[in-house]
């Protein structure tokens, strides 16, 4: 709790300028960190390479928070689907296949200290998704939560793209990759 409060306070006083960093590397690093902490959960990751203007440590912390929540709510042996796509904007979708968020809790999941009744018996401070919302907003983006028809929870993050310059050469943004269509009775995405 103290660490989360300090992190929130640091965000509010941050003055440094963001830098161009590889968003795919940030997401991959966050997945690896959470994979080590949640060995009973699989991560099915699909990323489009490219950059974003960001405070790298802050953005990775936000992605880790989303992935930690997805792992926490996944059933044993479950899979968390992670899609990072670049089009006119960056989109990051993290879909767990747990019990989902109750409709009455959806509007408040990004509020500081809010904990749904179903989460009160689990460890946590109620600040993880509030930190995500604050970091994403600081980066000019938006975040939302939804419960898809097949169940679980999807956290959807949108961030602005940048005109990239890597190794002195301008990089053309890759075409957006669409998530696969839902297939079968299990509701699991098909692998591209």
């Amino acid at each position: 709790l103290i660490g989360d409060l300090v992190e929130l306070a640091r965000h509010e006083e941050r003055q440094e300028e963001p830098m161009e960093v590889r968003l795919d590397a940030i997401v991959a690093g966050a997945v690896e960190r959470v994979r080590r902490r949640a060995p009973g959960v699989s991560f099915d990751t699909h990323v489009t390479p490219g950059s974003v203007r960001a405070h790298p440590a802050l953005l990775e912390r936000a992605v880790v928070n989303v992935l930690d929540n997805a792992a926490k709510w996944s059933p044993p042996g479950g899979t968390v689907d992670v899609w990072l796509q670049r089009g006119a904007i960056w989109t990051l979708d993290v879909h767990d296949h747990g019990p989902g968020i109750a409709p009455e809790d959806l509007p408040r999941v990004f509020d500081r200290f809010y904990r749904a009744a179903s989460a009160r018996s689990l460890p946590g401070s109620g600040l993880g998704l509030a930190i995500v919302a604050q970091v994403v907003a600081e980066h000019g983006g938006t975040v939302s939560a939804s419960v898809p028809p097949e169940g679980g929870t999807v956290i959807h993050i949108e961030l602005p793209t940048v005109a990239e310059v890597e190794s002195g050469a301008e990089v053309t943004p890759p075409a957006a990759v669409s998530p696969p269509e839902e297939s079968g009775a299990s509701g699991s995405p098909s692998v591209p």
Side-chain angles (χ1 to χ4, degrees):
L1 177 61
I2 292 169
D4 287 341
L5 287 169
V6 168
E7 189 69 30
L8 281 168
R10 282 186 186 148
H11 292 239
E12 291 169 357
E13 62 187 38
R14 191 159 317 280
Q15 299 294 324
E16 67 209 39
E17 287 296 313
M19 64 180 77
E20 184 177 320
V21 294
R22 292 293 300 259
L23 185 53
D24 54 311
I26 288 174
V27 171
V31 168
E32 284 308 309
R33 282 180 60 190
V34 175
R35 184 177 278 141
R36 287 191 300 269
R37 294 196 293 238
V41 176
S42 297
F43 292 86
D44 187 12
T45 306
H46 305 270
V47 298
T48 301
S51 298
V52 67
R53 288 194 59 76
H55 299 282
L58 285 180
L59 197 52
E60 183 173 357
R61 170 71 188 269
V63 175
V64 165
N65 284 0
V66 170
L67 294 169
D68 273 341
N69 272 358
K72 178 168 63 172
W73 290 101
S74 291
T79 299
V80 174
D81 301 309
V82 181
W83 284 88
L84 175 65
Q85 302 171 75
R86 180 181 179 168
I89 58 169
W90 279 107
T91 60
L92 174 63
D93 290 303
V94 176
H95 182 189
D96 69 59
H97 297 278
I101 299 171
E104 63 272 14
D105 293 323
L106 273 173
R108 301 204 50 214
V109 295
F110 297 103
D111 292 352
R112 290 181 184 187
F113 300 111
Y114 183 75
R115 300 200 66 204
S118 59
R120 291 183 187 139
S121 63
L122 298 172
S125 63
L127 290 172
L129 289 179
I131 290 170
V132 171
Q134 183 171 338
V135 169
V136 170
E138 285 178 10
H139 287 83
T142 60
V143 62
S144 62
S146 63
V147 178
E150 67 273 13
T153 299
V154 174
I155 300 295
H156 176 80
I157 296 173
E158 295 183 352
L159 293 167
T161 59
V162 296
E164 299 172 83
V165 178
E166 294 178 359
S167 302
E170 198 163 311
V171 177
T172 305
V177 177
S178 298
E181 296 296 318
E182 298 299 323
S183 65
S186 70
S188 297
S190 59
V191 178

